[in-house]
Amino acid sequence: MGGQVITDYHEITRVLMDRSMRQARYDEVGVVMDDVLLTLHGRDHHKRRVLEFSVLRKDDFSVYETEIFLPALAQVIGPLSASGGMDLIDFGYRVTMNLTADFAGLDRPEKSPEETEHLLKLVKNFSECATLTHVTRDKEAVRAAPCPKACRSGA
């Protein structure tokens, strides 16, 4: 990945505000990150933000907090705390992942620890592929992993 290193605060500010600048950090990933908000620019980025903000309306958050968030916490707290303790980072990751899956409409009919564990393996594999630029292990091993078929086509 080529690029220019900028260390001056004022230059960084100018670059970050320059609408003609494009971030290319995820170019190597290909189809995995195509058309996600992070990699869109200009009008496409703006249109996607408007769409996503329309889905995340303020009045929906009270329902989310009372009817969705508390049961999602309980689904993860129970199994993780059965041993008398839990890793808070693992807990937060699992809750966020389950909430995101539910929001996205992914089927989790059992909402069981086994489903969560399976989903966690897929998400970690996919996440590693989506950040392939930053991977420190063999990139071909990441591309060959079972989940991200799209990662292989992004090379």
Side-chain angles (χ1 to χ4, degrees):
M1 174 173 67
Q4 181 179 352
V5 175
I6 302 171
T7 57
D8 177 73
Y9 173 82
H10 296 291
E11 183 66 6
I12 291 170
T13 301
R14 186 194 66 74
V15 168
L16 289 173
M17 296 175 121
D18 184 344
R19 291 182 180 262
S20 70
M21 296 301 292
R22 302 286 185 259
Q23 82 79 21
R25 178 160 280 181
Y26 298 98
D27 287 355
E28 182 178 4
V29 180
V31 71
V32 174
M33 295 292 282
D34 281 351
D35 298 327
V36 298
L37 185 60
L38 181 65
T39 61
L40 292 174
H41 301 285
R43 186 168 245 359
D44 291 335
H45 179 88
H46 178 74
K47 284 173 26 183
R48 177 65 59 81
R49 281 186 63 184
V50 168
L51 174 68
E52 290 183 10
F53 285 152
S54 70
V55 172
L56 302 169
R57 293 182 311 211
K58 191 175 182 179
D59 55 329
D60 291 332
F61 283 107
S62 63
V63 172
Y64 202 78
E65 289 174 0
T66 58
E67 297 178 26
I68 298 171
F69 193 63
L70 293 177
L73 288 172
Q75 289 170 16
V76 175
I77 286 175
L80 287 181
S81 64
S83 66
M86 71 179 81
D87 180 305
L88 287 177
I89 293 172
D90 185 44
F91 166 73
Y93 197 91
R94 289 168 185 270
V95 169
T96 303
M97 178 192 64
N98 283 344
L99 288 168
T100 302
D102 291 345
F103 183 78
L106 297 178
D107 290 333
R108 296 187 318 116
E110 298 172 22
K111 299 201 185 302
S112 67
E114 294 76 23
E115 279 182 338
T116 296
E117 191 62 35
H118 179 69
L119 186 58
L120 182 62
K121 287 178 184 176
L122 294 174
V123 166
K124 285 187 175 187
N125 194 325
F126 189 81
S127 296
E128 189 174 43
C129 185
T131 56
L132 194 61
T133 300
H134 310 292
V135 170
T136 56
R137 66 187 186 101
D138 180 36
K139 291 181 182 186
E140 290 310 313
V142 174
R143 287 187 178 104
C147 173
K149 180 179 176 185
C151 185
R152 292 188 287 277
S153 66

